[in-house]
Amino acid sequence: MQTSAVFLPISQFSSRQSRSLITKVRAEAVRGGSLAMVKAIVVHELGGPEVLKWEDVEVGEPKEGEIRVKNKAIGLNFIDVYYRKGVYKSNLPFIPGREAVGIVTAVGTGLTGRKVGDIVAYAGNPMGSYAEEQIIPANVAVSVPPSMDPVVAASVMLKGMTAQFLLRRCFKVEPGHVVLVHAAAGGVGSLLCQWANALGATVIGTVSTKEKAAQAAEDGCHHVIIYTEDDFVPAVEKITSRKGVNVVYDSVGKDTFKGSLQCLANRGYMVSFGQSSGLPDPVPLSDLAPKSLFLTRPSLFHYNATRDELLESAGELFTCVNSGVLRVRVNHTYPLSEAAKAHADLESRKTSGSVVLIP
């Protein structure tokens, strides 16, 4: 008996007879060596951090085109919160997480280019990285440079490739551009500020506290606005002499969306790539007309849709990290078993930089 998927706990089955039969079959499979028991975070119902349950799950052998990976470090991202709360839809129960670094422990039949012992990283699909081990398609995994710590790699894959496509492909930032980055001290925001600065842009960042303002300044923000003290719209107008910015990178959503549109220059780009404060209100098309504005809601999954795009994005990211262009801030680590606490701290804005879960 072989399987290529992570199986969720028996408790999801309602029939006592079915549970008994499944228990017997799985016990035989485990004894036969085709299934292994590992720990994972499982979501059975949508809600707050408390729905993240630390449970036993089963993982089988990889099929053709797949690899099994023992995770060493797992990136926590706000998209995990969206799935946990039901903002993004997934069938229940599920194992959250879309980013991890680990060691290849098994390779599917006929697969070349991967071997047991390889250190690999992935970010995006499939969901299910909040586990000690998981099976993933080999074509979503990239090799981690030997010089890079797995914790650093896990903290930067999803966020770093997000920054790469936002700055290099969604809107191509060039010297002389003025950019506005909301949540400038966050995981993605920190990388956006550093990278945009390196590209020659003038960077304006918004943060919630003086401590985060200091970090944003270290990360390349030329102007930092503490939005809990000052309205960012008139502040941006003053900084730009009322000319506005060329692009806004907004992961906050509802609380900042309308103000972000006001901050744009003629033909400016509104890049809305998250909604930590909630979904923005609907925008009439006429709101874009006075300045001939562009509005996009991009996703990393669409920009890394092919293997070549993935390799280009990850390659440029690793180059920037290794060269020192990007300084990765792993400010918080939690045991994977304490993912609920990590989610609660992230949502309450107690974290800055990247958050990593350690199995």
Side-chain angles (χ1 to χ4, degrees):
M1 178 180 178
Q2 288 191 338
T3 179
S4 63
V6 173
F7 286 86
L8 294 169
I10 298 168
S11 58
Q12 67 182 292
F13 297 94
S14 58
S15 164
R16 179 177 299 177
Q17 184 177 7
S18 295
R19 291 200 302 272
S20 177
L21 177 61
I22 291 165
T23 300
K24 181 178 179 181
V25 170
R26 289 181 174 176
E28 291 175 353
V30 171
R31 284 196 298 271
S34 60
L35 288 176
M37 301 300 295
V38 300
K39 286 286 191 178
I41 295 292
V42 183
V43 175
H44 294 276
E45 59 180 333
L46 304 177
E50 70 279 357
V51 305
L52 298 171
K53 303 300 183 182
W54 184 237
E55 299 181 352
D56 290 314
V57 300
E58 299 154 351
V59 61
E61 294 297 321
K63 289 184 177 179
E64 185 175 357
E66 296 177 333
I67 55 177
R68 189 174 68 214
V69 181
K70 184 175 183 178
N71 289 330
K72 293 297 184 183
I74 299 159
L76 189 159
N77 298 280
F78 227 97
I79 193 172
D80 305 341
V81 174
Y82 298 152
Y83 275 102
R84 191 202 75 219
K85 296 170 72 172
V87 176
Y88 295 165
K89 304 303 179 185
S90 180
N91 293 331
L92 292 168
F94 66 86
I95 297 172
R98 290 181 174 271
E99 175 180 40
V101 173
I103 301 173
V104 176
T105 57
V107 176
T109 57
L111 185 64
T112 59
R114 281 279 167 247
K115 64 183 185 300
V116 172
D118 285 349
I119 306 297
V120 299
Y122 95 99
N125 290 319
M127 187 162 63
S129 66
Y130 282 26
E132 291 176 329
E133 279 195 73
Q134 67 180 134
I135 289 176
I136 61 174
N139 64 2
V140 306
V142 299
S143 297
V144 176
S147 60
M148 188 171 293
D149 186 287
V151 172
V152 171
S155 74
V156 79
M157 277 294 291
L158 193 84
K159 301 173 185 67
M161 290 197 298
T162 296
Q164 191 274 343
F165 93 79
L166 290 174
L167 293 165
R168 306 292 286 155
R169 291 184 282 160
C170 185
F171 176 87
K172 192 172 178 61
V173 172
E174 297 176 348
H177 282 153
V178 182
V179 308
L180 173 61
V181 178
H182 288 299
V188 177
S190 170
L191 298 174
L192 284 172
C193 294
Q194 294 178 62
W195 209 330
N197 185 313
L199 292 170
T202 296
V203 184
I204 305 170
T206 70
V207 297
S208 59
T209 67
K210 286 184 172 64
E211 291 76 17
K212 291 183 177 182
Q215 177 188 307
E218 290 179 7
D219 286 341
C221 276
H222 301 89
H223 308 275
V224 185
I225 302 166
I226 303 176
Y227 64 82
T228 53
E229 299 178 1
D230 298 299
D231 186 337
F232 73 88
V233 176
V236 169
E237 289 181 348
K238 181 178 180 180
I239 292 167
T240 63
S241 300
R242 303 185 67 85
K243 294 178 181 178
V245 302
N246 299 103
V247 58
V248 177
Y249 293 111
D250 191 337
S251 63
V252 177
K254 187 178 181 64
D255 291 350
T256 54
F257 191 89
K258 288 185 177 180
S260 294
L261 287 177
Q262 296 177 50
C263 290
L264 287 168
N266 288 341
R267 304 198 304 273
Y269 275 71
M270 174 64 189
V271 182
S272 175
F273 67 99
Q275 56 268 341
S276 60
S277 69
L279 291 169
D281 295 329
V283 180
L285 191 60
S286 57
D287 284 3
L288 307 179
K291 297 181 183 178
S292 295
L293 301 178
F294 296 87
L295 169 61
T296 183
R297 179 59 175 87
S299 167
L300 172 65
F301 310 132
H302 297 143
Y303 279 81
N304 279 2
T306 69
R307 178 71 177 169
D308 286 344
E309 288 172 338
L310 169 63
L311 293 176
E312 179 183 356
S313 181
E316 187 173 1
L317 170 63
F318 289 153
T319 297
C320 287
V321 173
N322 284 334
S323 67
V325 169
L326 296 179
R327 180 176 62 254
V328 182
R329 293 181 178 273
V330 186
N331 291 346
H332 312 272
T333 61
Y334 299 77
L336 177 58
S337 59
E338 296 180 12
K341 176 173 172 50
H343 273 233
D345 288 350
L346 179 67
E347 287 186 273
S348 62
R349 300 179 185 271
K350 292 180 180 179
T351 65
S352 62
S354 295
V355 181
V356 176
L357 306 174
I358 307 297

